[in-house]
Amino acid sequence: MHLDEIKISRAIIESYNKKLVDALDVDVAIVGAGPAGMVCGYYLAKAGKKVVLFERKLSVGGGMWGGGIMFNEIVVQEKARGILDEFGIKSRRYEAGYYLADSIEAVSTICSKAVKAGLKIFNLISVEDVMVRNKEVKGLVLNWSAVEIAKLHVDPITMRAKVVVDATGHPAEVARIIERKSGIRLNTKTGKTMGEESMWAEAGEEIIVKNSKAVCPGLYACGMCANAVFGGPRMGPIFGGMLLAGEKVAKDLIKKLS
Ligand code: 48F
């Protein structure tokens, strides 16, 4: 069979265009394809919600690929083992209460299951702003990451979501944009982002799940971002809290949207 390069190009352009147009009006838009964002997207998609995820980088997975100091193993505590099982990720007991998983298997499996469940992931897209109406977040402002990196003077596009989830990890980028530009008071003690605290795995893992909740009308924090917004320690290469945070926000949103 003769392969026509123009057909290949047309197929990609037409299909991507359709996918992007369909992503302009959704139930939930997640920012960041780390473990927290992808797990959240998986449970939402599985529940039949229309959910899209925008990721700045070429690859999904955020900080999970590198385990600790680039040793590609992750530790997960007892409480979160059920989520590894739900995804079919193999875990091995290290000592009582400590389980190990291969970080490559973990990222690739979470991503695969989430996409198969119906989560639409757009990589290479950066969220540079939010759409706000009457002090409520109503959507996201998107641009190609290549435009951002090259600092090109190119205007973005806008999409609408019933709820936005900030899963951008340590920088809490969406919450900080709102703090800087919208005049909306965040649901924190000070009304502003509180900032993350120094390493304490045990406390951080507990707090992160509690902190993964509504930040302001229309916006939820999920994963490491939640401790940066509401205040809480970092926890290093233990990942149960990220998985549990993703599951918790998804459950809250399924209830809220039905
Ligand atoms: O950092 P990341 O993995 O966040 P997470 O899911 O997990 C945190 C852990 O990896 C680790 C940890 C465990 O103890 O602390 O750090 O909470 O994933 C965040 C993703 O968001 C993307 C970023 O490239 C990364 O893949 N991201 C950040 N800002 C934007 C963004 C943005 N403005 N637009 C699009 N993507």
Side-chain angles (χ1 to χ4, degrees):
M1 196 195 83
H2 165 69
L3 279 177
D4 179 355
E5 289 83 352
I6 308 309
K7 265 192 199 156
I8 296 169
S9 305
R10 197 188 298 131
I12 290 169
I13 295 167
E14 284 177 2
S15 171
Y16 187 88
N17 261 356
K18 199 165 166 291
K19 199 158 62 172
L20 187 57
V21 168
D22 199 44
L24 294 181
D25 202 343
V26 302
D27 292 326
V28 183
I30 301 169
V31 188
M38 286 200 294
V39 168
C40 183
Y42 165 79
Y43 284 108
L44 285 165
K46 203 176 152 199
K49 300 298 164 208
K50 188 174 179 190
V51 51
V52 297
L53 188 157
F54 300 103
E55 165 56 50
R56 171 181 284 136
K57 294 193 176 144
L58 181 56
S59 66
V60 298
M64 205 186 222
W65 296 107
I69 60 159
M70 300 197 283
F71 290 13
N72 60 6
E73 292 282 312
I74 56 166
V75 171
V76 169
Q77 62 275 49
E78 188 74 56
K79 248 190 194 170
R81 260 187 88 211
I83 300 184
L84 294 181
D85 292 344
E86 159 85 16
F87 279 93
I89 297 164
K90 279 195 297 294
S91 58
R92 307 173 308 279
R93 184 178 177 277
Y94 179 65
E95 273 182 22
Y98 297 78
Y99 294 87
L100 282 162
D102 180 290
S103 72
I104 309 297
E105 181 185 349
V107 171
S108 56
T109 307
I110 292 169
C111 178
S112 166
K113 288 273 164 67
V115 171
K116 284 183 202 298
L119 174 67
K120 290 280 181 284
I121 298 183
F122 293 84
N123 58 342
L124 295 166
I125 290 189
S126 291
V127 169
E128 63 167 58
D129 201 355
V130 291
M131 173 167 67
V132 173
R133 294 289 182 281
N134 303 319
K135 304 256 178 215
E136 180 168 353
V137 178
K138 294 286 192 184
L140 294 170
V141 177
L142 313 170
N143 216 328
W144 305 114
S145 300
V147 166
E148 180 187 65
I149 292 161
K151 297 189 169 53
L152 299 175
H153 191 164
V154 177
D155 268 318
I157 57 170
T158 311
M159 60 83 57
R160 177 166 43 223
K162 290 182 187 136
V163 184
V164 166
V165 176
D166 187 347
T168 59
H170 295 273
E173 290 200 19
V174 183
R176 289 195 203 276
I177 290 168
I178 290 162
E179 174 178 72
R180 208 169 56 240
K181 296 178 84 167
S182 73
I184 299 175
R185 192 187 153 81
L186 308 185
N187 299 333
T188 61
K189 277 188 203 134
T190 58
K192 303 255 177 212
T193 54
M194 307 287 292
E196 104 186 10
E197 297 161 18
S198 290
M199 183 79 84
W200 184 3
E202 189 175 0
E205 286 287 278
E206 281 296 318
I207 294 167
I208 204 160
V209 184
K210 292 190 189 118
N211 281 346
S212 289
K213 60 183 181 185
V215 177
C216 67
L219 180 73
Y220 278 64
C222 184
M224 195 59 227
C225 155
N227 279 8
V229 171
F230 290 99
R234 66 183 308 185
M235 66 291 295
I238 179 158
F239 281 83
M242 299 305 147
L243 310 177
L244 291 165
E247 183 194 35
K248 186 207 176 221
V249 171
K251 276 190 181 156
D252 288 355
L253 292 182
I254 290 163
K255 213 181 281 169
K256 183 183 166 74
L257 292 168
S258 55

